[in-house]
Amino acid sequence: MRSAHTVAQVRAAEEELLAVLPDGALMQRAATGLAYAVIDLLRGAYGRRVLLLVGAGNNGGDALHAGAVLARRGALVDAHLLSDRVHEAGLAALRSAGGRVVCPTTRHGASSGTRPGRAGTYDVVVDGIVGIGGTPGLRPDVVAALERVAGVPVVAVDTPSGVGVDTGELAGPHVRAALTVTFGTLKPCHLVDPAAAACGSVHLVDIGLALPPAPVEALQPDDVARLLPRPAPDAHKYTRGVVGVRAGSTQYPGAALLSVAGAASGLAGMVRYAGPGEVGARVRAAHPEVVGEGRVQAWVVGSGGGDGAGAELAAAFADELSGPVPVVVDADALAHVSGPLPAPAVLTPHAGELARMSGVDRAEVEAAPLRHVREAADRFESVVLLKGRHTLIAEPGGRVRATTTGLPWLATAGAGDVLGGLIGALLAAGLDCFDAASVGSWLHGAAATLASDGGPLVAGDVARAIPAAVRGLPG
C-alpha cells in the first residue's frame, strides 16, 4: 500500500524522530536522497548545470544541502535565493562545496561566491521554494523566477510549490514538476488530482518516520493479490458468488453487453441478467454462460437503463432473500439517488454525475475531487467511486483510496459499464464495498494498460484483458 499522510501527521512524526537524532541528521537524509534522485534523472552529475530555487523553509534547506552533494560530485550548482531568510547551514554547505548564489537577496548581498545566472542553460531546476506547510499559489516574484527557466525540467522537493498539499487542489500559479522527490511518506497531493498531475513521477525517500494510518492510500499489486477473492479447493459456482445485472435497454443494449462482460470476467461463479427480454437474448448470444433471474449476492444497476433505471434500482433494493444485497449504482440509476440507501452500495459517478447529485457545477467537482467524494460518501452513507485520471474511492468517515493504474486511452465509451460489472462480481465473491470498488478500479486500469499496449482500445478490450491482469498479480 502506498500511503499518503497529511501535513499534521508528517510533522508529528518528524518531531518524534528529531528528538532522538543528532541535529541536522534528518535533513541530511532527505537531502542525500534528493541529490541522488537528481543524479538518476540526469544520468550523472559531473558537468551538469543545476539551479536551486530556494525559499525560507526546510525544503529550501533540503535543496541547498542536496546542491552541496551535487557540487561535490562535479555539478555546477547555482542557488537563486527567493527569501531574505534561508537555511544558513545549507547555504554554507553549498558554498563550501563550490556552489554559487545568483540573483542574491538583500541580506545575502553581492558577497563572495555570487555570479550572474545562466538562465536557459540549466539541465535541471530544483524547486525548494515552498514547503508542505505552504498555501496554494505563488508570489509574483516566484512566478517570474520560474518563467526565466521555462522549459527546463523541474525536480520538486517534497511537493511542487503552490499546490494544496492535503487537498490536492490548485489555486493560482504552481510548479509543474517532471519529478517530485518526497520524504517519509506520500502526501495527498501526490495521489489526488488536479495537484497530482503537477507532480510528474513521484520518488519516495525513506527517512525513518513512524506514521499512523493514512487517510489516503493507493493499492499496489501485492495489496490487490492479497484482497482478490480466489476459489477454495472445494468451490462451486454458487459458493464463488452470483452477480446479477440490471442494465441496458432497447435504446442502449450495448451497455448491458458491456456490464455483463465486466461481471463475467471469471471473478464470480455465475452471472444473471435481469434486463429487457430482447436485450437479454443479445446478452446470452454474446455470453452463453449467463443465465436468467434468480438469487444473487450482488446487483449491478443502471448502465444504459434509460427511463427504466429507477424501477430497476428499486427492484435491486427490494431483493432481501438473506438480508440486503449490495448494489453497484451506475450511470442512469444515479439520478434516482437522493439520500442514504437501504442496502450497502457502491456509487460510480463521473464528475458531471457527482455534480448533479451534489447540486454544484462540474468544474467545482473537478477542482476539488477529494472534498466532493468524501462529502458524497457521508451524504449517501455509501462507498462513492469518482471516476477520473486518478479515480478516488471514498467510504463514509473520510477514508479514501486513489487508483493510479490505467492510461488516457481508457477514456472511451462503455469503459465505465465494464467497471461496474467488475465491481459487482467482486462484491458477489465476498469483498466489502470499499475493497470491491478499489480492487475493481485497480484491475480495470491494469487491464486497460495490457489491452492498449500503448495504443487505442475499446471497452470490450478492457473486459477481455481482466483475466490477464489477474494472472499478472504476484503470488
Side-chain angles (χ1 to χ4, degrees):
M1 194 84 70
R2 299 198 81 182
S3 299
H5 291 82
T6 65
V7 172
Q9 289 176 313
V10 172
R11 284 181 166 168
E14 287 176 343
E15 288 298 323
E16 290 182 8
L17 191 55
L18 286 168
V20 299
L21 286 179
D23 187 41
L26 189 60
M27 183 170 285
Q28 288 293 343
R29 289 182 184 179
T32 300
L34 171 61
Y36 281 94
V38 173
I39 291 170
D40 285 345
L41 178 69
L42 297 177
R43 299 183 180 179
Y46 187 81
R48 303 297 195 271
R49 297 174 175 179
V50 180
L51 176 65
L52 314 176
L53 296 179
V54 181
N58 285 339
N59 278 29
D62 295 334
L64 289 165
H65 278 294
V69 174
L70 292 167
R72 288 194 294 270
R73 293 289 299 269
L76 304 174
V77 183
D78 289 348
H80 181 169
L81 310 184
L82 293 164
S83 172
D84 284 342
R85 296 184 304 278
V86 298
H87 196 276
E88 294 289 352
L91 183 60
L94 177 68
R95 281 177 160 157
S96 177
R100 308 278 184 98
V101 172
V102 298
C103 303
T105 58
T106 303
R107 180 178 174 187
H108 295 283
S111 57
S112 173
T114 66
R115 64 182 176 192
R118 295 183 292 251
T121 67
Y122 295 107
D123 297 301
V124 72
V125 173
V126 177
D127 162 28
I129 302 165
V130 179
I132 60 173
T135 56
L138 296 172
R139 301 190 317 260
D141 63 308
V142 174
V143 173
L146 290 165
E147 287 175 347
R148 285 194 289 271
V149 288
V152 180
V154 176
V155 174
V157 180
D158 220 353
T159 63
S161 292
V163 307
V165 177
D166 283 348
T167 65
E169 297 173 22
L170 301 174
H174 59 276
V175 168
R176 183 168 291 274
L179 171 68
T180 296
V181 181
T182 195
F183 310 116
T185 179
L186 300 183
K187 287 73 181 178
C189 65
H190 297 131
L191 297 176
V192 176
D193 282 331
C199 292
S201 300
V202 178
H203 175 71
L204 177 63
V205 175
D206 184 3
I207 56 174
L209 299 182
L211 292 153
V216 180
E217 303 168 330
L219 295 182
Q220 301 300 295
D222 285 345
D223 304 309
V224 176
R226 172 177 52 83
L227 291 168
L228 190 75
R230 296 179 184 274
D234 59 348
H236 55 77
K237 61 189 176 185
Y238 295 112
T239 61
R240 292 191 58 211
V242 181
V243 56
V245 178
R246 294 180 175 273
S249 60
T250 54
Q251 186 178 6
Y252 303 111
L257 291 165
L258 291 169
S259 294
V260 168
S265 52
L267 294 173
M270 181 185 288
V271 179
R272 297 185 181 275
Y273 181 71
E278 58 208 272
V279 179
R282 294 183 61 174
V283 166
R284 282 182 283 277
H287 302 279
E289 70 276 14
V290 173
V291 299
E293 292 193 54
R295 188 170 180 173
V296 302
Q297 281 75 54
W299 282 107
V300 180
V301 183
S303 298
D307 295 337
E312 296 291 359
L313 184 61
F317 283 136
D319 185 353
E320 295 187 355
L321 291 176
S322 56
V325 174
V327 179
V328 179
V329 185
D330 190 27
D332 293 330
L334 292 168
H336 301 275
V337 175
S338 59
L341 300 174
V346 179
L347 313 182
T348 60
H350 56 59
E353 290 165 335
L354 185 57
R356 288 191 291 273
M357 296 170 73
S358 304
V360 300
D361 291 335
R362 178 174 185 144
E364 293 182 49
V365 174
E366 292 174 335
L370 181 60
R371 172 163 57 85
H372 284 284
V373 76
R374 280 175 164 159
E375 289 175 355
D378 288 339
R379 176 182 174 185
F380 301 117
E381 298 179 7
S382 301
V383 169
V384 178
L385 180 151
L386 176 57
K387 300 168 186 173
R389 189 188 75 98
H390 282 187
T391 290
L392 300 180
I393 303 99
E395 64 177 358
R399 185 181 177 205
V400 172
R401 284 180 180 154
T403 301
T404 57
T405 57
L407 73 174
W409 291 114
L410 185 52
T412 186
D417 303 337
V418 173
L419 174 61
L422 172 56
I423 294 170
L426 292 167
L427 283 173
L431 291 187
D432 64 27
C433 289
F434 189 59
D435 284 343
S438 48
V439 169
S441 179
W442 192 98
L443 284 173
H444 187 249
T449 300
L450 288 173
S452 166
D453 194 25
L457 75 165
V458 295
D461 298 334
V462 180
R464 286 186 288 273
I466 292 170
V470 172
R471 287 193 296 272
L473 292 171

